[in-house]
Amino acid sequence: MSKLHTIWEFIRRHKYLITILIFVTIIGFLDENSMVRRISNIRKINKLHESIREYQADYDENTKRLNELTTNPRSIEKVAREKYLMKKPNEDIYIIQDDEQDTTVKEEPQK
């Protein structure tokens, strides 16, 4: 009985500290809106905002290209020559490729 009595005395003396610790544990870790989940959600939101900025920059660049293609006939010719290797009837095209491509050979295991 003395062990139970000492536990009760400890709880009675430190009831405010125990209450605060239980409250912090519930708010920090166990609750549906805990601080741990809130921090992870903030990180996800920041990543999503960064991807929105990247997509917005891509959209702006593509819109600029589209406007240029619709207004300037020389830009259409430039795209046709660079991407699709089109040429005028009296021209020759030379394609230069880099030789620095990965040329490693994988060895197969011997059986």
Side-chain angles (χ1 to χ4, degrees):
M1 193 77 173
S2 66
K3 200 172 201 179
L4 184 61
H5 182 68
T6 56
I7 292 173
W8 180 251
E9 285 296 318
F10 178 79
I11 292 172
R12 198 174 57 103
R13 284 186 191 158
H14 303 291
K15 60 185 167 194
Y16 297 112
L17 178 64
I18 292 171
T19 304
I20 290 171
L21 288 176
I22 290 172
F23 177 74
V24 167
T25 303
I26 290 173
I27 295 299
F29 302 103
L30 302 177
D31 190 32
E32 185 176 312
N33 299 318
S34 69
M35 292 303 290
V36 174
R37 288 185 185 159
R38 179 168 267 185
I39 290 170
S40 70
N41 288 340
I42 289 171
R43 287 182 182 165
K44 287 178 186 177
I45 289 171
N46 289 337
K47 287 180 184 178
L48 290 174
H49 280 300
E50 181 63 32
S51 65
I52 286 172
R53 279 186 231 114
E54 289 175 8
Y55 287 127
Q56 186 66 40
D58 287 344
Y59 175 77
D60 292 340
E61 182 181 336
N62 289 334
T63 303
K64 182 181 174 183
R65 285 184 185 171
L66 180 63
N67 288 337
E68 185 179 333
L69 285 173
T70 56
T71 58
N72 189 359
R74 298 208 34 75
S75 63
I76 295 174
E77 182 181 345
K78 179 181 176 185
V79 169
R81 287 173 175 270
E82 289 177 357
K83 280 197 169 189
Y84 302 109
L85 303 175
M86 294 184 167
K87 65 180 183 109
K88 291 182 180 178
N90 58 353
E91 290 181 334
D92 293 327
I93 294 180
Y94 298 100
I95 301 174
I96 301 172
Q97 293 181 344
D98 291 335
D99 290 336
E100 297 178 6
Q101 294 176 356
D102 189 21
T103 58
T104 58
V105 177
K106 293 183 179 179
E107 294 182 18
E108 294 183 14
Q110 296 178 357
K111 294 182 180 180

